Amino acid sequence: MVADSHDTICAIATPAGRGGVGIVRVSGPAASRIADRVLGKKPPPRMARYGAFRDAGGEVIDEGIALFFPGPGSFTGEDVLELQAHGGPVLLDMLLRLCVSLGARIAEPGEISRRAFLNGKLDLAQTEAVADLIDSATEQAVRAAARSLSGVFSKRVREMLDGLIGLRSYVEAAIDFPEEEVDFLADDRLANDLDDLLGCVDSLLDGAQQGRLLRDGLTLVLAGRPNAGKSSLLNALAGYDAAIVTPVPGTTRDLVREQLSLDGMPLHIVDTAGLTESPDIVEAEGVRRARAQMREADRVLLVLDDTKPGNITALLNELPGDIPVTTVRNKIDLSGAEPGFEHDGWGDTVRLSATTGAGLDALREHLRAVAGFHDTGEGTFLARTRHLDALKRAREHLVSGKTQLRETRSGELLAEDLRQAQNALGEITGEFTSDDLLGSIFSSFCIGK
Ligand SMILES: Nc1nc2c(ncn2[C@@H]2O[C@H](COP(=O)(O)OP(=O)(O)OP(=O)(O)O)[C@@H](O)[C@H]2O)c(=O)[nH]1
Ligand SMILES: [Mg+2]
């Protein structure tokens, strides 16, 4: 595959603002000519050259390092010129406009990565890993993104694709020779191969699930009656006074958001106004926002005052039905209950004291468990929801293929399931990806990426 456009694009590759170095990247057929014009003479391939950058009138704009990577041995697979100037926004803008005057156009967001993908330098999952690496908020996320970028994730997806293609051709060849079909469907090899593939998909799903948590994290909403200790719990988890705590019911009205990290997994915690039927319009608006926020959550932490829990059923009925809930019985320093986790008649329950900190570890442990988050070893790749969806679809088709084999004994239906599983996996690496999807993926990148 070759990039559809033969024009030359340019972008400032370093972040906006002032810095010691600022880089302008040019990619496309005109890069070579632009190098000659700006530098007087194009540098030898892949060799750093120090020199003056001159405008069309021959006047020196800056001095810096220039690098020229002839295609296809470059990031995009096209001729690439990198001008490393001083990092001033006006200066970089002048260099950019100079490149435009010499035949380049300003790149769209993600266009440089898109060219790398279209020219087969990186597959889609790797291209996404470039963006995720840059956006990583924790060290674990960086390591996982680097593994995806190096192609470990893609390699495992491709190994599965190879297995699927082998199986498909076996099944399809057998369909073409119907006299042998009965035998081949009874063949253990087919059932075993399907089981192997399912095992691979499950382990990939596990690694990808962890990776998605590293990237996106878990969103928790603290909800409950006024004065239950929601804000105190937020502060205890954060380790600092993020939200105002007072003995007055109705202290919190706005949403208070905090970003924490649990073993490298981002935790987005939202503290909300206590659920109450208040005539106060400010408090009522707070309650409305609290309810809206709960619907966006991965999990609601329902905070109760353990000394007066009130009508728990009524409270549970006020929560959105489809979001998982953990009941937190707070203030055990007053009620005298033992700290810890228990799965009781109310579901998942943690007993703790936001004031003394007793039981907080049990809550953290519980959150790690519900997130399915274990230590992030070699098998974790930074993954996106898109990858998880594709893996899950591939899994469904493999399971359905197994059923066809066992119950309907239909080679055609099995072949169709295998084809669908193959398409789903191919979406991850970009082999079967629509232009619309590509557009939406790359447009979320920033300019110069
Ligand atoms: N003894 C004890 N007091 C607590 C504990 N947690 C919270 N409190 C007290 O309970 C009162 C209410 O705490 P907040 O954290 O403001 O409660 P809230 O649920 O955020 O209340 P609203 O924002 O009004 O909905 C404060 O006086 C806290 O000091 C606890 O674990 N033990
Ligand atoms: Mg509060």
Side-chain angles (χ1 to χ4, degrees), residues 299 316 324-329 338-351 362-363 366 369-370:
R299 179 166 285 262
L316 283 170
V325 178
T326 298
T327 307
V328 176
R329 288 176 165 268
E338 283 298 310
F341 171 80
E342 151 179 51
H343 189 82
D344 64 9
W346 302 108
D348 292 338
T349 301
V350 179
R351 290 189 166 73
L363 176 62
H366 165 63
V370 295

Side-chain angles (χ1 to χ4, degrees), residues 293-312:
Q293 199 61 41
M294 281 190 255
R295 286 190 288 274
E296 310 274 302
D298 289 315
R299 179 166 285 262
V300 171
L301 298 185
L302 178 63
V303 183
L304 307 174
D305 180 339
D306 199 37
T307 63
K308 39 176 189 252
N311 185 340
I312 304 179

Side-chain angles (χ1 to χ4, degrees), residues 206-413:
D206 188 47
Q209 175 76 32
Q210 297 278 310
R212 196 201 65 89
L213 283 171
L214 277 176
R215 180 176 188 269
D216 301 334
L218 203 61
T219 302
L220 300 173
V221 170
L222 298 170
R225 296 282 180 232
N227 252 1
K230 301 175 294 298
S231 303
S232 303
L233 180 57
L234 172 70
N235 293 350
L237 287 169
Y240 51 85
D241 281 343
I244 300 174
V245 167
T246 75
V248 183
T251 302
T252 308
R253 273 116 183 258
D254 265 331
L255 303 171
V256 181
R257 297 174 196 277
E258 281 300 314
Q259 273 255 38
L260 312 175
S261 148
L262 183 64
D263 294 347
M265 170 175 67
L267 273 189
H268 314 280
I269 306 196
V270 190
D271 180 24
T272 62
L275 299 170
T276 170
E277 302 284 334
S278 169
D280 179 313
I281 54 167
V282 183
E283 211 174 346
E285 174 59 17
V287 171
R288 194 193 64 74
R289 290 181 185 208
R291 294 191 193 287
Q293 199 61 41
M294 281 190 255
R295 286 190 288 274
E296 310 274 302
D298 289 315
R299 179 166 285 262
V300 171
L301 298 185
L302 178 63
V303 183
L304 307 174
D305 180 339
D306 199 37
T307 63
K308 39 176 189 252
N311 185 340
I312 304 179
T313 314
L315 198 47
L316 283 170
N317 283 339
E318 288 186 43
L319 308 182
D322 50 346
I323 311 282
V325 178
T326 298
T327 307
V328 176
R329 288 176 165 268
N330 185 32
K331 307 196 189 181
I332 57 165
D333 54 308
L334 299 179
S335 73
E338 283 298 310
F341 171 80
E342 151 179 51
H343 189 82
D344 64 9
W346 302 108
D348 292 338
T349 301
V350 179
R351 290 189 166 73
L352 55 77
S353 164
T355 302
T356 67
L360 276 180
D361 279 344
L363 176 62
R364 291 196 188 95
E365 187 54 45
H366 165 63
L367 293 176
R368 273 190 285 266
V370 295
F373 192 83
H374 34 88
D375 72 87
T376 55
E378 290 300 300
T380 306
F381 331 98
L382 212 63
R384 301 181 167 206
T385 311
R386 181 183 91 73
H387 304 147
L388 279 180
D389 288 347
L391 285 169
K392 283 182 190 153
R393 265 182 289 126
R395 186 177 199 288
E396 278 164 24
H397 287 296
L398 288 174
V399 169
S400 146
K402 248 181 97 169
T403 314
Q404 309 297 3
L405 182 64
R406 222 183 17 238
E407 287 165 20
T408 34
R409 307 193 68 76
S410 155
E412 278 87 356
L413 292 179

Side-chain angles (χ1 to χ4, degrees), residues 33-34 37 55-56 94-104:
R33 184 165 42 84
I34 293 174
R37 295 283 294 275
D55 68 14
M94 285 167 72
L95 272 177
L96 198 64
R97 275 186 286 127
L98 175 59
C99 294
V100 170
S101 74
L102 295 171

